[in-house]
Amino acid sequence: MSALQPVRGTHDLLPEDMRRFREVADTARRAALCFGYHEVATPIFEFTEVFKRTLGDTSDVVTKEMYTFTDKGGETVTLRPEGTAGVARALISGGLAQHLPLKYFYVGPMFRYERPQKGRLRQFHQTGVELLGVKEPQGDVEVIAIGVEFLRRIGAWDRCELELNTLGDTPSRQAYRRVLIDYLNDFRDRLSKDSLDRLEKNPLRVLDSKDENDQRIVADAPLYSDYLSAEAQDFFGRVKSGLDDLGIAYRINPRLVRGLDYYCHTCFEITCADLGAQKTVLAGGRYDGLVGMMGGPETAGVGWASGVERCSMLLNETPAAARPIAIVPLGEAAERKAAQLAGELRRQDFLVDLGYSGNMGKRMKRANKIEAIVAVILGDDELAKGEVSLKLLDTGEQKNVRLTDLEAALAAYR
Ligand code: ATP
Ligand code: MG
């Protein structure tokens, strides 16, 4: 450990990273806005109970990954590992259930104590949507369509695959649970410790095991789809036909179970093979039981979250920084005028860079280095005539402009 290194699994977003980050986050926000969603932000820490109760005792997140600490007042709080629990808490504490349906979008940092590797960080960021108070399958379809639209806009959708499954309703789960326990019981001596624990507490989660040996055992387990109630099948059928109507391709993956405990009916993941091992870029599902389980009014919910860092890796190019206008004063009077002029232009929302010192050569070099689009050169003689010189840095073309016409002459470079 060195105090001069970033904490393992965290990283700085320097300007280029930040531009990729913004591109992803702004595109997700824009896509959600187009569907009538509103942006919200919940605190980045909550009482630990909020996550413990909602994510369940067997989730990886609760058992291993939470950043939990006691604050100076003796409260146990946790840095949020995901966004849904906070939104559900806000619905309850804000009495928002009277305003359903709610259509929310968020973006922000999440924290999980995981083993850092490519695409897996301890502080990462998610964009997400939550649709609350809609129990119809049209809600699931809409939420998935937002995710697809977002990935289409960042140029990644044609390299992605949507995997879809259903976790059914309570009667289906109960029926399948018994069958699965019977099957897994025969492998007790070979299952991983985590899976044995889950077998006791929440057997469905064994299907989600990352242990290779477990995965081999699970591959031959009875299929949940054979135990779905007629209602659950109908619900799933309507989600699928809704996606078909929108031309959204998907692959049914009967082994797909989400890592978090509160899902029912639809669950989905969008993966991109380009990313290698951590290839899930967006994941979500329906969580009708969540708000009720937290102690609020029974409220249907469906949503997804997407990792901004993973999506950033899918961008085809880094968005360019906006190019500034460089002001280059020559002489003392000009220098004073330059500061004034920069102020005026900035008030008109031009991007203006003004160096701090140096002769013409040094300042022009800097203008080129920061990739200014044009330099406004202020000489004492020209200024006396009420003129400045504009130099286009890409072509070297140069012309004199009257100060009074400057704003109009620069309009093209705003
Ligand atoms: P995994 O199986 O990869 O651990 P998960 O089920 O824990 O995923 P979710 O909780 O569904 O993931 O999070 C949604 C998305 O957030 C993921 O698909 C991924 O894009 C991103 N994500 C999750 N954990 C991390 C992390 N530690 N670092 C970077 N991105 C992450
Ligand atoms: Mg995880």
Side-chain angles (χ1 to χ4, degrees), residues 60-61 65 112 114 120 210 310:
D60 279 352
V61 171
E65 298 172 1
R112 298 186 191 179
E114 320 209 47
R120 197 176 285 291
K210 297 207 168 83
R310 290 190 200 174

Coordinates of all heavy atoms in Angstrom, one line a residue, residues 60-61 65 112 114 120 210 310, ligand 2:
D60 N -23.7 -12.3 -3.8 CA -22.3 -12.0 -3.8 C -22.1 -10.7 -3.1 O -21.2 -10.5 -2.3 CB -21.7 -12.0 -5.2 CG -21.4 -13.4 -5.7 OD1 -21.5 -14.3 -4.9 OD2 -21.1 -13.5 -6.9
V61 N -22.9 -9.8 -3.6 CA -22.7 -8.4 -3.2 C -22.8 -8.3 -1.6 O -21.9 -7.7 -1.0 CB -23.8 -7.5 -3.8 CG1 -23.8 -6.1 -3.2 CG2 -23.6 -7.4 -5.3
E65 N -19.1 -8.2 -1.0 CA -18.6 -7.1 -1.7 C -18.9 -5.7 -1.2 O -18.6 -4.7 -1.7 CB -19.2 -7.2 -3.2 CG -18.7 -8.4 -3.9 CD -19.4 -8.6 -5.3 OE1 -20.2 -7.8 -5.6 OE2 -19.1 -9.6 -5.9
R112 N -18.0 -1.8 -4.9 CA -18.0 -3.2 -4.6 C -16.6 -3.7 -4.3 O -15.7 -3.5 -5.1 CB -18.7 -4.1 -5.7 CG -20.1 -3.7 -6.0 CD -20.7 -4.6 -7.0 NE -22.0 -4.1 -7.5 CZ -22.7 -4.7 -8.4 NH1 -22.3 -5.9 -8.9 NH2 -23.9 -4.2 -8.8
E114 N -14.5 -6.1 -4.9 CA -14.3 -7.3 -5.7 C -12.8 -7.4 -6.1 O -12.0 -6.5 -5.8 CB -15.0 -7.2 -7.0 CG -16.4 -6.6 -7.0 CD -17.2 -7.1 -8.1 OE1 -17.3 -8.4 -8.3 OE2 -17.9 -6.3 -8.8
R120 N -13.6 -4.9 -14.2 CA -14.2 -5.1 -12.9 C -13.4 -4.2 -11.9 O -12.2 -4.5 -11.6 CB -14.0 -6.6 -12.5 CG -14.9 -7.0 -11.3 CD -14.9 -8.4 -11.0 NE -15.6 -9.3 -12.0 CZ -17.0 -9.3 -12.1 NH1 -17.7 -8.5 -11.3 NH2 -17.5 -10.1 -12.9
K210 N -20.3 -19.1 -10.2 CA -19.3 -18.8 -11.2 C -18.2 -19.9 -11.1 O -17.3 -20.0 -11.9 CB -18.6 -17.5 -10.9 CG -19.6 -16.3 -11.1 CD -18.9 -15.0 -11.4 CE -20.0 -14.0 -11.9 NZ -20.6 -13.3 -10.8
R310 N -17.4 -0.4 -18.8 CA -17.5 -1.4 -19.8 C -18.0 -0.8 -21.1 O -17.5 -1.2 -22.2 CB -18.3 -2.6 -19.4 CG -17.6 -3.4 -18.2 CD -18.3 -4.7 -17.9 NE -17.9 -5.1 -16.6 CZ -18.5 -6.2 -16.0 NH1 -19.4 -6.9 -16.5 NH2 -18.0 -6.5 -14.8
Ligands
MG2 MG -20.8 -9.0 -9.5

